[in-house]
Amino acid sequence: MTQELLDTMPALRIGRPLVVAIDGPSGSGKSSVSKEVARRLRLAYLDTGAMYRALTWYCVTKGIDLDDSAAVEQASRDLVLELSTSPLEEYVRVDGIDVTDAIREPAISSAVSAVATTLGARTELIRRQRELIEKHHRRMVVEGRDITTVVAPGAEVRMLLTASEEARLRRRGIQLGGTQNAEQLAAQVTHRDAKDSAVVNFTKAASGVVTLDSSDLDFDQTVTAALVIVTKVLNRD
């Protein structure tokens, strides 16, 4: 499958559902790869991690104790969130405030696990995620940590995008422009994964989920590999 072909791929399963569910640990390239896969396949795109980050920003801004699960759950219901579902643009707004950059700040990254492991808040955000999938007629690339098993277990294509710890730390460091030291990077990648794994398994592929290890692949190679998986899985049906 050549690069030229991938750039001009025809829309697949026109008029029929095509949900591509992609899970994986921090720094595996989920967001950038998923967004490009959505662009190539002309599908909507949902970054579920941005939803958890937006809720974390909201709680921190409101002074809500992140250890108070009832308060965090209520905040998840109160959250007024606007989120881009196009792979061609990116915005996250809370109460009309643009927080696209703010939710990527280290302070939010270090706090997001406390929110993501609050089961009541997860339930509410999962409800919203499923609602968005339906709103887009089940034609969407959805990425996160529990998409293949919880949010969209019936997705037409389910994939686990993973990479070695070394590769993930290196990529996150590049993504953050070299502004974080080794300890800060570890907190954002491996430490967060350890916390989040208490409520969801995103390190091992569930039955029927295809694993894509991108440790030795660059971005374009990873996108190509993901698209090959999509076409192979669909061709089996």
Side-chain angles (χ1 to χ4, degrees):
M1 189 176 290
T2 67
Q3 192 66 38
E4 292 76 12
L5 176 59
L6 291 172
D7 280 331
T8 57
M9 286 185 70
L12 302 178
R13 292 173 61 93
I14 296 175
R16 300 166 62 196
L18 176 51
V19 176
V20 179
I22 301 179
D23 284 331
S26 300
S28 60
K30 292 191 307 296
S31 295
S32 55
V33 170
S34 297
K35 186 180 292 187
E36 181 61 13
V37 167
R39 186 187 74 80
R40 301 276 186 95
L41 296 178
R42 304 176 205 177
L43 299 174
Y45 163 72
L46 179 59
D47 175 1
T48 64
M51 300 177 75
Y52 288 99
R53 286 175 174 271
L55 177 56
T56 304
W57 181 91
Y58 178 77
C59 288
V60 170
T61 302
K62 295 290 185 181
I64 294 170
D65 182 355
L66 299 186
D67 292 324
D68 185 340
S69 58
V72 173
E73 180 177 347
Q74 185 58 50
S76 73
R77 297 195 187 99
D78 296 338
L79 181 69
V80 179
L81 177 64
E82 298 174 73
L83 184 70
S84 169
T85 52
S86 167
L88 303 178
E89 61 180 338
E90 179 181 6
Y91 64 79
V92 183
R93 302 186 188 109
V94 174
D95 287 332
I97 300 170
D98 190 327
V99 297
T100 309
D101 295 328
I103 64 171
R104 305 295 174 181
E105 291 292 328
I108 300 302
S109 296
S110 62
V112 68
S113 284
V115 169
T117 53
T118 300
L119 296 182
R122 288 194 76 85
T123 298
E124 170 59 18
L125 292 188
I126 288 169
R127 182 194 67 78
R128 295 190 188 206
Q129 291 156 17
R130 289 172 173 165
E131 191 175 73
L132 284 168
I133 293 171
E134 294 300 328
K135 180 180 178 181
H136 289 277
H137 310 290
R138 296 189 57 82
R139 291 188 61 81
M140 177 178 267
V141 176
V142 189
E143 55 100 348
R145 294 174 180 270
D146 58 357
I147 313 305
T148 64
T149 55
V150 177
V151 177
E156 284 68 32
V157 181
R158 297 187 297 154
M159 194 182 314
L160 176 68
L161 177 58
T162 189
S164 67
E165 181 176 315
E166 178 185 6
R168 293 188 292 117
L169 287 170
R170 182 181 69 252
R171 291 170 185 170
R172 183 53 58 86
I174 293 171
Q175 181 184 27
L176 296 173
T179 59
Q180 307 294 295
N181 60 35
E183 183 177 347
Q184 290 170 317
L185 283 174
Q188 289 199 30
V189 178
T190 55
H191 297 176
R192 182 188 165 197
D193 285 348
K195 291 178 182 178
D196 289 358
S197 64
V199 295
V200 62
N201 179 18
F202 50 86
T203 58
K204 293 183 180 179
S207 177
V209 176
V210 181
T211 298
L212 171 53
D213 188 332
S214 66
S215 300
D216 299 319
L217 304 178
D218 62 21
F219 174 73
D220 288 334
Q221 290 171 330
T222 305
V223 171
T224 298
L227 290 167
V228 168
I229 289 172
V230 170
T231 55
K232 283 185 175 180
V233 169
L234 294 180
N235 285 338
R236 286 206 305 259
D237 295 341

